[in-house]
Amino acid sequence: MLCELLDGRSYTNKELASAAGVTPPTATAHLQLLQSAGLVVAERRGRCVFHRLTSAEVAHALEQLASIAPSDALHQAQRRKAGALAPLRSCYDHFAGPLAVAMTDRFLSRGMLIERNGGFDIQPDDVWQKLGVELPHTVGKQPFARPCMDWTERRLHISGPLGRQLLSHALDIGWVKRQTVRRGLVLTMPGRVAFQQILGLDTHAVGAESAAS
Amino acid sequence: MLCELLDGRSYTNKELASAAGVTPPTATAHLQLLQSAGLVVAERRGRCVFHRLTSAEVAHALEQLASIAPSDALHQAQRRKAGALAPLRSCYDHFAGPLAVAMTDRFLSRGMLIERNGGFDIQPDDVWQKLGVELPHTVGKQPFARPCMDWTERRLHISGPLGRQLLSHALDIGWVKRQTVRRGLVLTMPGRVAFQQILGLDTHAVGAESAAS
DNA sequence: GTGATCGTTCGCTCATCATCGAAGCGATTG
DNA sequence: CAATCGCTTCGATGATGAGCGAACGATCAC
C-alpha cells in the first residue's frame, strides 16, 4: 500500500485493498494502523475516503528503506515496476528520474539555483515563470526548494514547494501525463518541445513507451 | 537493537539482549532475522560474536525512520537518550551533532571542501593532515566525502570515508572519548585545543558533561 | 583436565493479529 | 423513497511467531 502511495496521489480503500490483494475490511484495519502511526492521512470526499502519505518526509523514509531492501521474491513485483518506470516518474509530489536530475543540473549551471548547505537558494529569473513557478514573496522558514536524493540515480533532484510547482504545472499544461503504471510519467510532444526550448534539454531518451521488461 | 547499533560499534549477543530486555535465545533469533534481511553482519571473535550494521545506508535509513516516528510511550526511552546526546555524538561511523555541522561549514568556507551535486569534492590542504585525514590517491567511483542529513540539526555534515577518518583519528589521538551513554561523545581538553587551533572552532558549548535530563 | 562463559539449537507455550464474512451506516443516484 | 455503492464495525478463526527454559557445543582461564 505504501509503495502504491509513493506517487503522492490519493487512493481509495478499495484501490489499496486490491493493490495489496486483500479484502476491504482488511485494508480498513491496516490503513487505520498506518494512520495512527502518522504515515498516512485520510480525507473523506462524498462516500469515498482518500488516503495519502502524510508528508514528503514519509515518502523519503520509504525510499530509503527501499534502497536497502533485499531483492527477495516478495518484492520482485515491486522491483519490476520500479524498473519499468525508470526514465521519468514522480517522487511523492515532484519529478524524479534522469530528467529531474538533468533539470536540476541545468538550473544549477544557469545560476537559477544555488546550492547552499544542503538546500537550494532560488534566484529570480524569467525562466521560472515559463515553467509555471511562482517565486515566493516572503522568505519563509521552510526552504522553497529542497534536495531529494534519487536512489536509482544517486543524484540530487528538486523537492519542496519548487518541485511541487514544477510537476503540477507540467501536469496542468499537459507537458507530462500520468501513466497507468504507478508513478510513471510520460512526456508529451508539447512537453518535449517546451523542455527543449526553455531549458535546452535533450529529451530523446525520456518518456518513450519503454519496451524493456 | 538497531538503535543500539546506530553508533556504528559492534555489540555482542548478550549486550543486545539486555539492551532489548530479552533473553539470549530471543536475541539470537532476532539477530538471525536482521542478518538474513541484510541489516546487520556478524563476526566471530573467539567465543564472542560481534554484530554491527551492514552499511552506512542502513544507518541512514534508520535515522530517516526515527525522524518520522511518532513519539509514543514505547520510544520515550530512546527519545530521552537522543535528547541527552545532542551536542556531540557519532552517527554510525562519523561525527554528528552541532560540532559536526560547524566543522563542515568551516571546511566549506575555507574551500577545503566544495559542494557539488549532492556530494563533496575534497581539495588538497595541509590542514587535512593535521586532522589525520589521508587524501585518496586515486579518484575512485565511491565519493570520498558524502553529505549526511542530521535530523536534529536539519543540516548537512560529512559521512563517507572522510567522515570515518575524522572520527577514528579523533578517537585514536584522544580528542574525543566515547561516553557511557550510547552514541555520545565527550570532547577532551586536547580536543578542544586542537579544534580551536586547527579550525578556529569555538567549542564552549560542546561536549560538557551535560546536566540536562 | 575442570569449570566458567558465551552462543546456539530445540521444543513448547501463549498471545497477538491478520484475515474474512456478515451486517450496519452514510452518501449518492434514479 | 428505493436501490446501489463504498466504507466500517463486529465477531470468529486460524496461523504466525515471539518468547522462554533446558540442553548442547565452543571457547577461554586456571
Side-chain angles (χ1 to χ4, degrees), chain B residues 77-122:
Chain B
Q78 289 295 340
R79 297 233 155 210
R80 230 181 306 114
K81 269 192 194 174
L85 52 77
L88 181 58
R89 62 183 185 278
S90 61
C91 167
Y92 188 60
D93 57 5
H94 52 272
F95 281 112
L99 181 64
V101 172
M103 280 172 60
T104 307
D105 285 347
R106 194 56 59 110
F107 293 149
L108 288 168
S109 69
R110 288 200 177 182
M112 295 165 63
L113 284 182
I114 295 178
E115 214 166 355
R116 197 175 54 83
N117 186 40
F120 290 127
D121 278 348
I122 191 166

Side-chain angles (χ1 to χ4, degrees), chain A residues 1-208:
Chain A
M1 287 184 184
L2 289 172
C3 289
E4 205 69 15
L5 290 166
L6 253 189
D7 64 358
R9 287 196 282 181
S10 295
Y11 290 91
T12 64
N13 187 315
K14 199 180 183 182
E15 288 170 327
L16 293 173
S18 86
V22 295
T23 58
T26 308
T28 297
H30 191 65
L31 284 166
Q32 282 173 344
L33 255 180
L34 294 177
Q35 202 172 342
S36 71
L39 296 180
V40 305
V41 288
E43 188 187 350
R44 178 153 214 123
R45 275 208 293 268
R47 60 182 160 185
C48 292
V49 176
F50 289 91
H51 302 270
R52 60 180 170 79
L53 295 186
T54 302
S55 66
E57 275 69 36
V58 174
H60 195 203
L62 289 173
E63 296 257 359
Q64 280 292 331
L65 277 184
S67 71
I68 65 165
S71 57
D72 47 16
L74 255 175
H75 306 107
Q76 210 76 358
Q78 289 295 341
R79 297 232 154 208
R80 231 181 305 112
K81 269 191 192 172
L85 52 77
L88 182 59
R89 62 184 186 277
S90 60
C91 167
Y92 189 60
D93 57 5
H94 53 271
F95 281 112
L99 181 64
V101 172
M103 281 173 61
T104 308
D105 285 347
R106 196 55 61 107
F107 292 149
L108 287 169
S109 68
R110 288 198 178 183
M112 295 165 64
L113 284 182
I114 295 178
E115 214 167 356
R116 198 176 53 83
N117 187 39
F120 290 128
D121 278 349
I122 192 166
Q123 302 296 318
D125 193 309
D126 54 359
V127 170
W128 288 126
Q129 199 195 330
K130 295 184 188 170
L131 293 171
V133 174
E134 209 172 308
L135 294 182
H137 298 295
T138 63
V139 178
K141 299 182 88 173
Q142 294 295 328
F144 185 63
R146 286 185 308 159
C148 177
M149 184 63 76
D150 187 313
W151 63 272
T152 60
E153 293 292 306
R154 300 267 170 194
R155 304 268 307 273
L156 291 183
H157 58 272
I158 300 168
S159 71
L162 175 57
R164 193 153 49 238
Q165 285 190 28
L166 286 171
L167 176 57
S168 69
H169 179 258
L171 282 168
D172 286 348
I173 208 172
W175 287 346
V176 296
K177 291 188 183 304
R178 297 267 190 198
Q179 246 175 346
T180 48
V181 179
R182 299 312 179 205
R183 298 183 66 194
L185 294 173
V186 59
L187 200 56
T188 65
M189 209 52 213
R192 270 177 212 287
V193 173
F195 283 123
Q196 171 65 45
Q197 285 189 348
I198 300 177
L199 290 174
L201 284 180
D202 183 9
T203 58
H204 69 281
V206 173

Side-chain angles (χ1 to χ4, degrees), chain B:
Chain B
M1 288 185 185
L2 290 173
C3 289
E4 205 68 16
L5 290 167
L6 254 188
D7 64 359
R9 286 197 283 180
S10 296
Y11 290 91
T12 64
N13 187 316
K14 198 180 184 183
E15 287 169 329
L16 293 173
S18 86
V22 296
T23 58
T26 308
T28 296
H30 192 66
L31 284 166
Q32 282 172 345
L33 256 180
L34 294 177
Q35 201 172 342
S36 70
L39 296 180
V40 305
V41 288
E43 187 187 350
R44 179 155 215 120
R45 275 209 291 270
R47 61 182 162 186
C48 293
V49 176
F50 289 92
H51 302 269
R52 60 180 170 80
L53 295 186
T54 301
S55 66
E57 275 69 37
V58 174
H60 195 204
L62 288 173
E63 296 258 358
Q64 281 293 330
L65 278 184
S67 71
I68 65 165
S71 57
D72 47 17
L74 255 175
H75 306 108
Q76 210 77 359
Q78 289 295 340
R79 297 233 155 210
R80 230 181 306 114
K81 269 192 194 174
L85 52 77
L88 181 58
R89 62 183 185 278
S90 61
C91 167
Y92 188 60
D93 57 5
H94 52 272
F95 281 112
L99 181 64
V101 172
M103 280 172 60
T104 307
D105 285 347
R106 194 56 59 110
F107 293 149
L108 288 168
S109 69
R110 288 200 177 182
M112 295 165 63
L113 284 182
I114 295 178
E115 214 166 355
R116 197 175 54 83
N117 186 40
F120 290 127
D121 278 348
I122 191 166
Q123 302 296 317
D125 193 309
D126 54 0
V127 170
W128 288 126
Q129 199 195 331
K130 295 183 189 170
L131 293 171
V133 174
E134 209 173 309
L135 295 181
H137 297 296
T138 63
V139 177
K141 299 182 87 173
Q142 294 294 330
F144 185 63
R146 287 186 308 159
C148 177
M149 184 63 75
D150 187 314
W151 63 272
T152 59
E153 293 291 308
R154 299 268 171 195
R155 304 267 309 273
L156 291 184
H157 59 272
I158 300 169
S159 70
L162 176 58
R164 193 153 48 238
Q165 286 190 28
L166 287 170
L167 176 57
S168 68
H169 179 259
L171 283 168
D172 286 348
I173 208 172
W175 287 348
V176 297
K177 290 189 184 303
R178 298 266 189 199
Q179 248 176 344
T180 49
V181 179
R182 299 311 180 205
R183 297 184 65 194
L185 295 173
V186 59
L187 200 56
T188 64
M189 210 54 213
R192 270 176 213 287
V193 173
F195 283 125
Q196 171 65 43
Q197 286 190 346
I198 299 178
L199 291 174
L201 284 179
D202 184 10
T203 58
H204 69 283
V206 172
E209 212 70 36
S210 164
S213 75

